[in-house]
């Protein structure tokens, strides 16, 4: 399969859900003005970080990868897993690829990416980590870079998701996203880069000054997915799931995805992103995700994570 992009950069905003649409995000709005965006992509169920980030990087649902916050915080991801990470899949095709994982929440790097894959890593709080990320982009021009910012989720837990404090933190992280994007422009790889912003889950606002997530209410399960690049269509993305990030990245780098299998790989390229008739029609996996019906008003949350 032909390689569409030399570089893919993913910025994951933990806990942002679909609330990006409610916050002041001039940088996000500018970056994706001509891109493909949805605020209705589905998180993994349960809407917890390890389950969602795991689905994105592995291309399978939580019932298959079975990762939890406790597991990724204490165990290495098995190098012989039948569901290798994006990093391992890319390295198998492009052994010399420059790969990076720069995450505030380090269990993503330590517990969802195999230890035998050569990658560049760093971990720190969002604001301190961003200059390091920018230097890495300028210096190494990575083939694939995964970034996770965590402070928005922290603001949601402390204040409630969708509150002013939560939205204000999204606005601050918007500036960090712009820094990353500008570093990609500075190093002159932007024209051959697929740039993606995605959230893992949202959260609740019970009105008591705190928030949580893990359930399947609208505020928890609907998330932002936005892409821009030379082959990206301008408009709204169709039905999508966070696990689809894996298929999107492989497609962009010209790597064939595994066969769709309801008991395994269920990552797909959503409709409305690329004008490419060779992309298979999107299969509805609502029956696998607990998303039937897609809109649920039943309050259901887990403990704080």
């Amino acid at each position: 399969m032909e390689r569409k992009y030399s570089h893919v950069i993913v910025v994951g905003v933990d806990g942002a859900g679909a609330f990006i649409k409610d916050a002041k995000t001039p940088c996000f709005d500018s970056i994706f003005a001509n891109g493909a965006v949805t605020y209705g992509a589905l998180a993994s169920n349960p809407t917890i970080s390890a389950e969602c980030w795991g689905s994105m990087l592995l291309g399978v649902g939580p019932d298959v990868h079975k990762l939890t916050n406790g597991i990724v915080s204490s165990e290495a991801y098995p190098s012989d897993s039948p569901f290798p990470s994006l990093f391992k899949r890319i390295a198998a095709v492009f052994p010399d690829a420059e790969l990076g994982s720069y995450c505030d929440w380090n269990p993503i790097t330590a517990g969802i990416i195999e230890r035998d894959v050569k990658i560049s890593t760093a971990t720190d709080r969002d604001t301190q980590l961003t200059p390091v990320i920018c230097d890495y982009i300028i210096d190494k021009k990575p083939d694939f870079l995964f970034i996770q910012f965590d402070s928005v989720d922290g603001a949601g837990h402390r204040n409630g998701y969708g509150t002013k404090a939560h939205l204000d933190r999204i606005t601050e992280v918007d500036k960090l996203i712009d820094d990353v994007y500008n570093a990609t422009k500075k190093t002159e790889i932007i024209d051959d880069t697929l740039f993606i912003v995605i959230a893992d889950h949202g959260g609740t606002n019970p009105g008591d000054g705190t928030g949580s997530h893990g359930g399947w209410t609208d505020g928890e399960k609907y998330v932002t997915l936005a892409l821009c690049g030379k082959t990206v269509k301008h408009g709204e993305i169709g039905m999508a799931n966070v696990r689809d990030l894996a298929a999107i990245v492989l497609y962009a780098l010209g790597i064939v995805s595994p066969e769709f299998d309801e008991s395994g790989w269920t990552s797909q390229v959503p409709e409305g992103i690329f004008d490419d008739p060779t992309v298979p029609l999107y299969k509805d996996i609502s029956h696998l995700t607990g998303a039937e019906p897609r809109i649920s008003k039943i309050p259901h949350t887990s403990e704080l994570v």
Side-chain angles (χ1 to χ4, degrees), residues 22-61:
D22 302 320
K24 294 179 181 178
T25 54
C27 303
F28 176 94
D29 297 343
S30 176
I31 291 169
F32 298 104
N34 294 308
V37 180
T38 180
Y39 300 104
L42 279 171
S44 285
N45 187 6
T47 50
I48 299 175
S49 291
E51 283 83 342
C52 294
W53 296 123
S55 292
M56 289 185 212
L57 293 175
L58 302 174
V60 302

mmCIF file of all heavy atoms in Angstrom, residues 22-61:
data_model
loop_
_atom_site.group_PDB
_atom_site.id
_atom_site.type_symbol
_atom_site.label_atom_id
_atom_site.label_comp_id
_atom_site.label_asym_id
_atom_site.label_seq_id
_atom_site.Cartn_x
_atom_site.Cartn_y
_atom_site.Cartn_z
ATOM 1 N N ASP A 22 -16.884 23.440 23.349
ATOM 2 C CA ASP A 22 -17.466 24.431 24.259
ATOM 3 C C ASP A 22 -16.426 25.409 24.800
ATOM 4 O O ASP A 22 -16.786 26.408 25.422
ATOM 5 C CB ASP A 22 -18.140 23.719 25.437
ATOM 6 C CG ASP A 22 -19.225 22.752 24.996
ATOM 7 O OD1 ASP A 22 -19.976 23.102 24.055
ATOM 8 O OD2 ASP A 22 -19.310 21.648 25.576
ATOM 9 N N ALA A 23 -15.150 25.105 24.595
ATOM 10 C CA ALA A 23 -14.078 25.940 25.132
ATOM 11 C C ALA A 23 -13.583 26.923 24.075
ATOM 12 O O ALA A 23 -13.867 26.779 22.887
ATOM 13 C CB ALA A 23 -12.921 25.052 25.607
ATOM 14 N N LYS A 24 -12.854 27.920 24.528
ATOM 15 C CA LYS A 24 -12.215 28.855 23.600
ATOM 16 C C LYS A 24 -10.921 28.210 23.110
ATOM 17 O O LYS A 24 -9.960 28.071 23.866
ATOM 18 C CB LYS A 24 -11.934 30.183 24.297
ATOM 19 C CG LYS A 24 -13.196 30.946 24.696
ATOM 20 C CD LYS A 24 -12.860 32.250 25.403
ATOM 21 C CE LYS A 24 -14.119 33.006 25.815
ATOM 22 N NZ LYS A 24 -13.804 34.262 26.546
ATOM 23 N N THR A 25 -10.912 27.834 21.835
ATOM 24 C CA THR A 25 -9.758 27.122 21.274
ATOM 25 C C THR A 25 -9.379 27.732 19.922
ATOM 26 O O THR A 25 -9.529 27.089 18.875
ATOM 27 C CB THR A 25 -10.077 25.628 21.100
ATOM 28 O OG1 THR A 25 -11.287 25.508 20.310
ATOM 29 C CG2 THR A 25 -10.281 24.942 22.437
ATOM 30 N N PRO A 26 -8.883 28.958 19.921
ATOM 31 C CA PRO A 26 -8.560 29.600 18.638
ATOM 32 C C PRO A 26 -7.503 28.849 17.836
ATOM 33 O O PRO A 26 -7.549 28.849 16.599
ATOM 34 C CB PRO A 26 -8.063 30.990 19.055
ATOM 35 C CG PRO A 26 -7.660 30.857 20.485
ATOM 36 C CD PRO A 26 -8.597 29.844 21.068
ATOM 37 N N CYS A 27 -6.568 28.222 18.509
ATOM 38 C CA CYS A 27 -5.514 27.495 17.800
ATOM 39 C C CYS A 27 -6.075 26.234 17.144
ATOM 40 O O CYS A 27 -5.835 25.972 15.964
ATOM 41 C CB CYS A 27 -4.383 27.146 18.757
ATOM 42 S SG CYS A 27 -3.659 28.583 19.586
ATOM 43 N N PHE A 28 -6.828 25.465 17.911
ATOM 44 C CA PHE A 28 -7.478 24.265 17.377
ATOM 45 C C PHE A 28 -8.355 24.635 16.189
ATOM 46 O O PHE A 28 -8.312 23.986 15.135
ATOM 47 C CB PHE A 28 -8.303 23.603 18.478
ATOM 48 C CG PHE A 28 -9.101 22.393 18.046
ATOM 49 C CD1 PHE A 28 -8.573 21.116 18.194
ATOM 50 C CD2 PHE A 28 -10.377 22.527 17.521
ATOM 51 C CE1 PHE A 28 -9.308 19.989 17.807
ATOM 52 C CE2 PHE A 28 -11.109 21.417 17.127
ATOM 53 C CZ PHE A 28 -10.574 20.147 17.266
ATOM 54 N N ASP A 29 -9.139 25.690 16.348
ATOM 55 C CA ASP A 29 -10.050 26.117 15.277
ATOM 56 C C ASP A 29 -9.286 26.476 14.014
ATOM 57 O O ASP A 29 -9.723 26.169 12.899
ATOM 58 C CB ASP A 29 -10.897 27.302 15.735
ATOM 59 C CG ASP A 29 -11.802 26.962 16.911
ATOM 60 O OD1 ASP A 29 -12.026 25.760 17.159
ATOM 61 O OD2 ASP A 29 -12.267 27.906 17.586
ATOM 62 N N SER A 30 -8.151 27.137 14.171
ATOM 63 C CA SER A 30 -7.352 27.533 13.022
ATOM 64 C C SER A 30 -6.689 26.336 12.358
ATOM 65 O O SER A 30 -6.691 26.205 11.123
ATOM 66 C CB SER A 30 -6.289 28.551 13.456
ATOM 67 O OG SER A 30 -5.437 28.882 12.388
ATOM 68 N N ILE A 31 -6.124 25.459 13.175
ATOM 69 C CA ILE A 31 -5.413 24.290 12.633
ATOM 70 C C ILE A 31 -6.346 23.413 11.812
ATOM 71 O O ILE A 31 -5.989 22.923 10.732
ATOM 72 C CB ILE A 31 -4.780 23.481 13.781
ATOM 73 C CG1 ILE A 31 -3.635 24.273 14.421
ATOM 74 C CG2 ILE A 31 -4.283 22.123 13.288
ATOM 75 C CD1 ILE A 31 -3.132 23.681 15.730
ATOM 76 N N PHE A 32 -7.579 23.229 12.304
ATOM 77 C CA PHE A 32 -8.500 22.297 11.652
ATOM 78 C C PHE A 32 -9.598 23.000 10.859
ATOM 79 O O PHE A 32 -10.620 22.393 10.536
ATOM 80 C CB PHE A 32 -9.100 21.355 12.696
ATOM 81 C CG PHE A 32 -8.060 20.501 13.379
ATOM 82 C CD1 PHE A 32 -7.643 20.800 14.671
ATOM 83 C CD2 PHE A 32 -7.472 19.443 12.711
ATOM 84 C CE1 PHE A 32 -6.667 20.030 15.294
ATOM 85 C CE2 PHE A 32 -6.492 18.673 13.318
ATOM 86 C CZ PHE A 32 -6.090 18.966 14.612
ATOM 87 N N ALA A 33 -9.352 24.267 10.504
ATOM 88 C CA ALA A 33 -10.346 25.028 9.740
ATOM 89 C C ALA A 33 -10.693 24.348 8.428
ATOM 90 O O ALA A 33 -11.837 24.419 7.955
ATOM 91 C CB ALA A 33 -9.834 26.449 9.486
ATOM 92 N N ASN A 34 -9.726 23.687 7.825
ATOM 93 C CA ASN A 34 -9.958 22.988 6.563
ATOM 94 C C ASN A 34 -9.793 21.475 6.718
ATOM 95 O O ASN A 34 -9.592 20.760 5.730
ATOM 96 C CB ASN A 34 -8.993 23.497 5.494
ATOM 97 C CG ASN A 34 -9.264 24.952 5.133
ATOM 98 O OD1 ASN A 34 -10.394 25.326 4.825
ATOM 99 N ND2 ASN A 34 -8.228 25.780 5.192
ATOM 100 N N GLY A 35 -9.906 21.010 7.955
ATOM 101 C CA GLY A 35 -9.725 19.595 8.228
ATOM 102 C C GLY A 35 -11.030 18.855 8.419
ATOM 103 O O GLY A 35 -12.108 19.355 8.108
ATOM 104 N N ALA A 36 -10.923 17.642 8.932
ATOM 105 C CA ALA A 36 -12.077 16.790 9.228
ATOM 106 C C ALA A 36 -12.206 16.676 10.740
ATOM 107 O O ALA A 36 -11.227 16.378 11.432
ATOM 108 C CB ALA A 36 -11.892 15.417 8.596
ATOM 109 N N VAL A 37 -13.410 16.911 11.245
ATOM 110 C CA VAL A 37 -13.615 16.981 12.698
ATOM 111 C C VAL A 37 -14.924 16.299 13.073
ATOM 112 O O VAL A 37 -15.906 16.350 12.330
ATOM 113 C CB VAL A 37 -13.657 18.457 13.177
ATOM 114 C CG1 VAL A 37 -13.865 18.524 14.686
ATOM 115 C CG2 VAL A 37 -12.390 19.204 12.778
ATOM 116 N N THR A 38 -14.930 15.659 14.235
ATOM 117 C CA THR A 38 -16.167 15.216 14.856
ATOM 118 C C THR A 38 -16.050 15.387 16.359
ATOM 119 O O THR A 38 -14.960 15.253 16.925
ATOM 120 C CB THR A 38 -16.497 13.751 14.528
ATOM 121 O OG1 THR A 38 -17.733 13.389 15.177
ATOM 122 C CG2 THR A 38 -15.419 12.800 15.019
ATOM 123 N N TYR A 39 -17.169 15.699 16.979
ATOM 124 C CA TYR A 39 -17.254 15.722 18.441
ATOM 125 C C TYR A 39 -18.131 14.566 18.920
ATOM 126 O O TYR A 39 -18.581 14.552 20.065
ATOM 127 C CB TYR A 39 -17.826 17.055 18.925
ATOM 128 C CG TYR A 39 -16.972 18.241 18.512
ATOM 129 C CD1 TYR A 39 -17.372 19.073 17.467
ATOM 130 C CD2 TYR A 39 -15.769 18.506 19.144
ATOM 131 C CE1 TYR A 39 -16.592 20.148 17.070
ATOM 132 C CE2 TYR A 39 -14.985 19.578 18.756
ATOM 133 C CZ TYR A 39 -15.396 20.394 17.716
ATOM 134 O OH TYR A 39 -14.615 21.451 17.310
ATOM 135 N N GLY A 40 -18.347 13.594 18.041
ATOM 136 C CA GLY A 40 -19.207 12.466 18.362
ATOM 137 C C GLY A 40 -18.538 11.119 18.215
ATOM 138 O O GLY A 40 -19.214 10.096 18.101
ATOM 139 N N ALA A 41 -17.201 11.090 18.232
ATOM 140 C CA ALA A 41 -16.516 9.797 18.239
ATOM 141 C C ALA A 41 -16.776 9.125 19.588
ATOM 142 O O ALA A 41 -16.947 9.795 20.608
ATOM 143 C CB ALA A 41 -15.022 9.976 18.014
ATOM 144 N N LEU A 42 -16.815 7.812 19.576
ATOM 145 C CA LEU A 42 -17.103 7.075 20.797
ATOM 146 C C LEU A 42 -15.829 6.657 21.515
ATOM 147 O O LEU A 42 -14.892 6.135 20.894
ATOM 148 C CB LEU A 42 -17.914 5.817 20.483
ATOM 149 C CG LEU A 42 -19.415 6.004 20.287
ATOM 150 C CD1 LEU A 42 -20.032 4.707 19.766
ATOM 151 C CD2 LEU A 42 -20.086 6.418 21.575
ATOM 152 N N ALA A 43 -15.805 6.900 22.815
ATOM 153 C CA ALA A 43 -14.728 6.388 23.654
ATOM 154 C C ALA A 43 -14.894 4.877 23.804
ATOM 155 O O ALA A 43 -15.878 4.290 23.364
ATOM 156 C CB ALA A 43 -14.778 7.057 25.024
ATOM 157 N N SER A 44 -13.911 4.238 24.407
ATOM 158 C CA SER A 44 -14.070 2.835 24.770
ATOM 159 C C SER A 44 -14.890 2.750 26.047
ATOM 160 O O SER A 44 -14.982 3.697 26.828
ATOM 161 C CB SER A 44 -12.704 2.169 24.966
ATOM 162 O OG SER A 44 -12.084 1.925 23.721
ATOM 163 N N ASN A 45 -15.483 1.600 26.244
ATOM 164 C CA ASN A 45 -16.342 1.365 27.402
ATOM 165 C C ASN A 45 -15.714 0.260 28.247
ATOM 166 O O ASN A 45 -15.542 -0.857 27.760
ATOM 167 C CB ASN A 45 -17.732 0.941 26.919
ATOM 168 C CG ASN A 45 -18.747 0.843 28.035
ATOM 169 O OD1 ASN A 45 -18.463 1.187 29.177
ATOM 170 N ND2 ASN A 45 -19.942 0.376 27.713
ATOM 171 N N PRO A 46 -15.299 0.560 29.495
ATOM 172 C CA PRO A 46 -15.556 1.763 30.274
ATOM 173 C C PRO A 46 -14.673 2.935 29.853
ATOM 174 O O PRO A 46 -13.591 2.729 29.309
ATOM 175 C CB PRO A 46 -15.236 1.334 31.708
ATOM 176 C CG PRO A 46 -14.195 0.264 31.545
ATOM 177 C CD PRO A 46 -14.585 -0.476 30.295
ATOM 178 N N THR A 47 -15.173 4.136 30.131
ATOM 179 C CA THR A 47 -14.494 5.363 29.723
ATOM 180 C C THR A 47 -13.398 5.729 30.722
ATOM 181 O O THR A 47 -13.476 6.711 31.446
ATOM 182 C CB THR A 47 -15.502 6.509 29.593
ATOM 183 O OG1 THR A 47 -16.305 6.561 30.789
ATOM 184 C CG2 THR A 47 -16.419 6.306 28.397
ATOM 185 N N ILE A 48 -12.351 4.911 30.730
ATOM 186 C CA ILE A 48 -11.222 5.080 31.643
ATOM 187 C C ILE A 48 -9.947 5.120 30.791
ATOM 188 O O ILE A 48 -9.872 4.518 29.721
ATOM 189 C CB ILE A 48 -11.177 3.944 32.677
ATOM 190 C CG1 ILE A 48 -12.465 3.969 33.521
ATOM 191 C CG2 ILE A 48 -9.953 4.060 33.582
ATOM 192 C CD1 ILE A 48 -12.598 2.813 34.494
ATOM 193 N N SER A 49 -8.940 5.806 31.263
ATOM 194 C CA SER A 49 -7.767 6.117 30.447
ATOM 195 C C SER A 49 -7.103 4.892 29.821
ATOM 196 O O SER A 49 -6.884 4.845 28.612
ATOM 197 C CB SER A 49 -6.746 6.896 31.273
ATOM 198 O OG SER A 49 -7.236 8.191 31.572
ATOM 199 N N ALA A 50 -6.759 3.893 30.614
ATOM 200 C CA ALA A 50 -6.042 2.739 30.063
ATOM 201 C C ALA A 50 -6.869 2.026 29.013
ATOM 202 O O ALA A 50 -6.347 1.611 27.964
ATOM 203 C CB ALA A 50 -5.659 1.774 31.179
ATOM 204 N N GLU A 51 -8.159 1.879 29.276
ATOM 205 C CA GLU A 51 -9.028 1.204 28.320
ATOM 206 C C GLU A 51 -9.085 1.975 26.996
ATOM 207 O O GLU A 51 -9.079 1.374 25.909
ATOM 208 C CB GLU A 51 -10.430 1.056 28.903
ATOM 209 C CG GLU A 51 -10.584 -0.055 29.921
ATOM 210 C CD GLU A 51 -10.171 0.311 31.336
ATOM 211 O OE1 GLU A 51 -9.453 1.310 31.519
ATOM 212 O OE2 GLU A 51 -10.557 -0.410 32.264
ATOM 213 N N CYS A 52 -9.125 3.314 27.089
ATOM 214 C CA CYS A 52 -9.253 4.140 25.882
ATOM 215 C C CYS A 52 -7.937 4.301 25.146
ATOM 216 O O CYS A 52 -7.862 4.078 23.929
ATOM 217 C CB CYS A 52 -9.832 5.503 26.256
ATOM 218 S SG CYS A 52 -11.537 5.435 26.858
ATOM 219 N N TRP A 53 -6.860 4.682 25.844
ATOM 220 C CA TRP A 53 -5.566 4.814 25.179
ATOM 221 C C TRP A 53 -5.115 3.469 24.638
ATOM 222 O O TRP A 53 -4.510 3.377 23.559
ATOM 223 C CB TRP A 53 -4.512 5.378 26.132
ATOM 224 C CG TRP A 53 -4.765 6.768 26.623
ATOM 225 C CD1 TRP A 53 -4.855 7.166 27.932
ATOM 226 C CD2 TRP A 53 -4.953 7.968 25.846
ATOM 227 N NE1 TRP A 53 -5.086 8.519 28.018
ATOM 228 C CE2 TRP A 53 -5.159 9.032 26.743
ATOM 229 C CE3 TRP A 53 -4.979 8.232 24.480
ATOM 230 C CZ2 TRP A 53 -5.380 10.341 26.339
ATOM 231 C CZ3 TRP A 53 -5.208 9.542 24.056
ATOM 232 C CH2 TRP A 53 -5.400 10.576 24.977
ATOM 233 N N GLY A 54 -5.392 2.401 25.381
ATOM 234 C CA GLY A 54 -5.051 1.066 24.908
ATOM 235 C C GLY A 54 -5.747 0.733 23.599
ATOM 236 O O GLY A 54 -5.138 0.187 22.673
ATOM 237 N N SER A 55 -7.022 1.072 23.504
ATOM 238 C CA SER A 55 -7.759 0.821 22.265
ATOM 239 C C SER A 55 -7.160 1.593 21.101
ATOM 240 O O SER A 55 -7.035 1.080 19.981
ATOM 241 C CB SER A 55 -9.227 1.210 22.449
ATOM 242 O OG SER A 55 -9.883 0.343 23.352
ATOM 243 N N MET A 56 -6.775 2.853 21.346
ATOM 244 C CA MET A 56 -6.193 3.679 20.284
ATOM 245 C C MET A 56 -4.890 3.094 19.754
ATOM 246 O O MET A 56 -4.658 3.048 18.543
ATOM 247 C CB MET A 56 -5.907 5.089 20.806
ATOM 248 C CG MET A 56 -7.115 5.941 21.062
ATOM 249 S SD MET A 56 -6.553 7.606 21.518
ATOM 250 C CE MET A 56 -7.855 8.078 22.647
ATOM 251 N N LEU A 57 -4.019 2.679 20.660
ATOM 252 C CA LEU A 57 -2.680 2.254 20.261
ATOM 253 C C LEU A 57 -2.610 0.787 19.850
ATOM 254 O O LEU A 57 -1.627 0.366 19.225
ATOM 255 C CB LEU A 57 -1.695 2.520 21.399
ATOM 256 C CG LEU A 57 -1.444 3.999 21.702
ATOM 257 C CD1 LEU A 57 -0.541 4.156 22.919
ATOM 258 C CD2 LEU A 57 -0.836 4.716 20.502
ATOM 259 N N LEU A 58 -3.654 0.012 20.183
ATOM 260 C CA LEU A 58 -3.648 -1.413 19.866
ATOM 261 C C LEU A 58 -4.676 -1.791 18.803
ATOM 262 O O LEU A 58 -4.572 -2.864 18.198
ATOM 263 C CB LEU A 58 -3.901 -2.234 21.133
ATOM 264 C CG LEU A 58 -2.906 -2.006 22.272
ATOM 265 C CD1 LEU A 58 -3.344 -2.749 23.522
ATOM 266 C CD2 LEU A 58 -1.501 -2.433 21.861
ATOM 267 N N GLY A 59 -5.695 -0.945 18.584
ATOM 268 C CA GLY A 59 -6.683 -1.211 17.552
ATOM 269 C C GLY A 59 -7.739 -2.220 17.929
ATOM 270 O O GLY A 59 -8.457 -2.734 17.060
ATOM 271 N N VAL A 60 -7.863 -2.510 19.227
ATOM 272 C CA VAL A 60 -8.847 -3.480 19.708
ATOM 273 C C VAL A 60 -9.585 -2.895 20.908
ATOM 274 O O VAL A 60 -9.131 -1.934 21.530
ATOM 275 C CB VAL A 60 -8.182 -4.820 20.102
ATOM 276 C CG1 VAL A 60 -7.429 -5.409 18.916
ATOM 277 C CG2 VAL A 60 -7.228 -4.634 21.288
ATOM 278 N N GLY A 61 -10.721 -3.479 21.240
ATOM 279 C CA GLY A 61 -11.509 -2.991 22.361
ATOM 280 C C GLY A 61 -10.980 -3.470 23.699
ATOM 281 O O GLY A 61 -10.156 -4.399 23.771
#
